[in-house]
Amino acid sequence: MLDNFTIFSRGGVKLFSWSAIPLKGSPINTLVSDVLLEERSGLQTFNYTSGSTKYTLRWTFHNELDIVFVAVYQSILQLAYVEDLLAKVKEVFASNYKPSTIDYPEFVDEFLRLQALHEKKADAAKAGVTKSPTASKGQSAPGKKGKGQDSVKGKPEALAAADAEKADDGGAEEGGNGGESSPGAFDVSKLKRRTSRAASIAGGSSPKNVPRKVDSKGKKMRVWDGGEPGDQQLDFSKGKPEDSVGGEDMG
């Protein structure tokens, strides 16, 4: 909040003055003597110290009316709205200014309204900057995986692994219907596996064993010492019943 706001003419006539608290020292007189009369127009602020109190003074001119508008506040506050307030007060006061009038006590209500309006806007802007948005509880930041979630589809890892295993098993049993099986349909591939297993048991070999090839010409007759291949020999392979386990046709 401002400590003082003063409007005066360049001829030294005070037109309006408002104070929240009495000023220490003479900050406005020092501004006039050290800055305005020296025409140090390049300055935008002026600092004044009186004891332990430090003031900052900001001002603006109305060149056509030769009027000076000065705002005084304690330097520790660093009020950001002062420049806008000076511009608005200059606009409103100039519209009500009369060269024949040298005192405007009724302007205090308008000034207080403008000051309150600018303070409120400054507080709202400050609150909007300092307020930090908080992420919703349980939500992970964009681009980061949640705990136990798949990086692509967002599924839990356990479900993603189960889907992958199901896809591997289904790939080997997909039929001509595009991999989909209707409820209650008979799985032909399972029947083939069972039939193949039964046949291997009947042949006396396990499914993992590969049957040995048999020469299509039959067994060669053994030639005894001194004998000829053409001599009649005993062939024990003929007439020998074939070993079988469950020799009946399994159908």
Side-chain angles (χ1 to χ4, degrees):
M1 187 175 181
L2 296 179
D3 285 6
N4 178 272
F5 196 97
T6 299
I7 305 173
F8 57 92
S9 68
R10 288 191 175 183
V13 177
K14 184 182 293 186
L15 303 174
F16 171 81
S17 182
W18 169 89
S19 293
I21 57 175
L23 295 176
K24 296 180 179 181
S26 302
I28 296 179
N29 290 337
T30 304
L31 172 68
V32 172
S33 61
D34 292 357
V35 178
L36 301 183
L37 293 180
E38 295 292 335
E39 296 183 354
R40 298 164 62 184
S41 58
L43 295 178
Q44 295 182 344
T45 61
F46 174 72
N47 296 322
Y48 175 85
T49 302
S50 176
S52 60
T53 304
K54 294 182 179 181
Y55 293 110
T56 296
L57 289 77
R58 296 181 69 93
W59 63 95
T60 186
F61 300 102
H62 195 299
N63 294 323
E64 294 180 1
L65 300 178
D66 287 335
I67 297 176
V68 183
F69 301 82
V70 182
V72 184
Y73 58 96
Q74 295 187 31
S75 301
I76 193 173
L77 297 178
Q78 298 181 356
L79 303 179
Y81 65 87
V82 175
E83 186 174 354
D84 292 338
L85 178 61
L86 283 168
K88 190 63 179 179
V89 171
K90 179 175 71 172
E91 176 186 347
V92 175
F93 186 84
S95 64
N96 294 283
Y97 175 72
K98 296 178 181 179
S100 58
T101 304
I102 59 174
D103 190 17
Y104 294 83
E106 70 280 0
F107 187 70
V108 64
D109 293 335
E110 184 65 17
F111 169 76
L112 292 176
R113 185 187 71 82
L114 293 174
Q115 180 179 226
L117 177 63
H118 283 77
E119 287 179 346
K120 185 177 180 179
K121 291 171 63 176
D123 291 341
K126 184 178 180 181
V129 172
T130 57
K131 184 178 179 181
S132 58
T134 55
S136 302
K137 187 177 181 181
Q139 292 183 351
S140 56
K144 294 183 179 180
K145 295 191 294 182
K147 185 177 181 181
Q149 297 241 335
D150 184 75
S151 59
V152 178
K153 297 182 179 180
K155 293 184 178 180
E157 294 178 359
L159 293 179
D163 291 345
E165 183 178 355
K166 183 177 178 181
D168 292 341
D169 294 341
E173 298 182 2
E174 288 182 354
N177 57 354
E180 297 181 357
S181 58
S182 59
F186 189 79
D187 193 342
V188 179
S189 61
K190 292 182 179 180
L191 176 62
K192 291 181 179 180
R193 288 198 298 270
R194 292 174 182 173
T195 305
S196 175
R197 184 176 182 183
S200 62
I201 295 174
S205 60
S206 63
K208 297 181 180 180
N209 296 330
V210 180
R212 294 181 299 175
K213 294 183 180 181
V214 180
D215 193 352
S216 59
K217 296 181 180 181
K219 292 184 178 180
K220 293 183 180 181
M221 297 177 63
R222 185 172 182 178
V223 179
W224 299 95
D225 295 339
E228 297 292 338
D231 295 343
Q232 184 176 359
Q233 302 291 340
L234 294 178
D235 186 0
F236 293 96
S237 64
K238 292 183 179 182
K240 185 178 179 180
E242 295 182 359
D243 294 337
S244 62
V245 179
E248 296 182 2
D249 189 3
M250 295 295 292

